[in-house]
Amino acid sequence: MPESIDPPEDGETEPVRLPEAALESIEASVRKLLDQAADQARQLDSLASAPPPTDSPFGAFGLPGFAGLPPQPTPPEPRPILELGGEEYEDELDALSDWVDDFLVRAYGAEVTTAAPWCEQWQEHADVVAWLHALWLAYQQHKDPEAGLSGLFVWHRDFLSHAMATVRAAGGPLSACMTDPDRPAHRLLPGPPPSSRTTTETAESEENDKPSQGAG
C-alpha cells in the first residue's frame, strides 16, 4: 500500500509543484482550446448575422448552402406569350417558331385535310400562338430529368393530344386556312363583338367626354 501523507502539524497544505515541462504542455493545451472556442464563436456569430443565400436549397429552413458550391442560377418565371410585348414578344415568338417548325410539325404534323387544317402563317393567329406556346412550355418541363422517366409520356397524354386536337380542329381557329397541302391559305376569322354591357358603357363614356355646348 502507498504510504499515507500526513498533513503538517500547523494544518497548512504545501502547494504541489509540477515540472516546468508539464506546465508548458498544459499551458499550450489551454491556449489551443481557447483559440478553438474563439473560432467557433466567430463562426456562430457569422451564421447568425448573415441571411441564408437565396440559391441555397435549405434557405426555407434558415440554413446556409454548402460552402464552395457555385450559386445556382434562378430559372426565369414562365409568362404567357400574349402578355409579352415588343421585342420580348418577337424573341419569344422566334424561339417558339423554331420549335414548332423544326420539331413539332415534323414529328406530329399529320396530313393537312379539312378535318385537320393548318396554316403556314399560324403566327398571325393569336389563339394558336397561345396554345402552341403553352404546349412548348409544358414540353420543356416534362423533358427535364426531374420529371422522371414518365415525364414525356405525361406530356403526350395530357398536353400534346389535347392541344393539337384543339388547334387543328375542323371548326377550330385554322378552319378557314389551308385544308389542302397543295393549296396554302390564310384567313383570320372574325371574333365575337364586345358584349352589350361593354358597348353601352363605352357609348356613355364617349357621351360624357363630349364638351358641353353652351351659348357663346
Side-chain angles (χ1 to χ4, degrees):
M1 296 179 59
E3 296 181 359
S4 60
I5 301 177
D6 296 332
E9 295 179 357
D10 55 4
E12 295 182 0
T13 304
E14 296 183 359
V16 179
R17 301 184 181 276
L18 297 176
E20 292 185 1
L23 286 175
E24 293 177 355
S25 176
I26 294 174
E27 290 177 356
S29 299
V30 172
R31 284 195 298 269
K32 185 177 180 181
L33 291 174
L34 292 175
D35 291 341
Q36 292 177 350
D39 289 339
Q40 292 177 355
R42 284 192 294 268
Q43 292 178 2
L44 291 174
D45 291 341
S46 176
L47 293 175
S49 60
T54 56
D55 54 1
S56 169
F58 308 102
F61 302 98
L63 299 175
F66 294 106
L69 292 180
Q72 299 297 323
T74 303
E77 296 183 2
R79 294 175 57 192
I81 191 171
L82 297 186
E83 292 184 1
L84 307 179
E87 185 176 351
E88 190 178 10
Y89 174 84
E90 294 298 330
D91 291 343
E92 190 75 359
L93 185 60
D94 286 343
L96 173 63
S97 299
D98 291 341
W99 180 75
V100 171
D101 294 339
D102 297 339
F103 173 73
L104 184 67
V105 174
R106 290 179 181 271
Y108 306 102
E111 182 181 3
V112 176
T113 64
T114 55
W118 185 244
C119 182
E120 293 182 349
Q121 302 180 50
W122 58 265
Q123 294 92 341
E124 302 297 324
H125 299 263
D127 48 356
V128 173
V129 169
W131 271 100
L132 296 181
H133 185 255
L135 181 63
W136 180 40
L137 294 180
Y139 175 76
Q140 296 178 67
Q141 176 185 353
H142 285 80
K143 77 169 185 176
D144 190 277
E146 293 185 359
L149 298 178
S150 61
L152 285 177
F153 177 84
V154 174
W155 179 76
H156 281 81
R157 182 195 65 191
D158 294 346
F159 298 92
L160 174 66
S161 300
H162 184 60
M164 295 300 283
T166 301
V167 168
R168 302 190 63 182
L174 304 180
S175 57
C177 296
M178 184 171 58
T179 58
D180 186 324
D182 297 325
R183 298 170 60 183
H186 166 65
R187 179 186 171 192
L188 294 176
L189 298 175
S195 66
S196 57
R197 178 182 179 87
T198 301
T199 303
T200 302
E201 291 178 350
T202 302
E204 291 177 351
S205 177
E206 292 176 351
E207 183 68 23
N208 294 333
D209 291 340
K210 290 181 179 180
S212 57
Q213 296 180 356

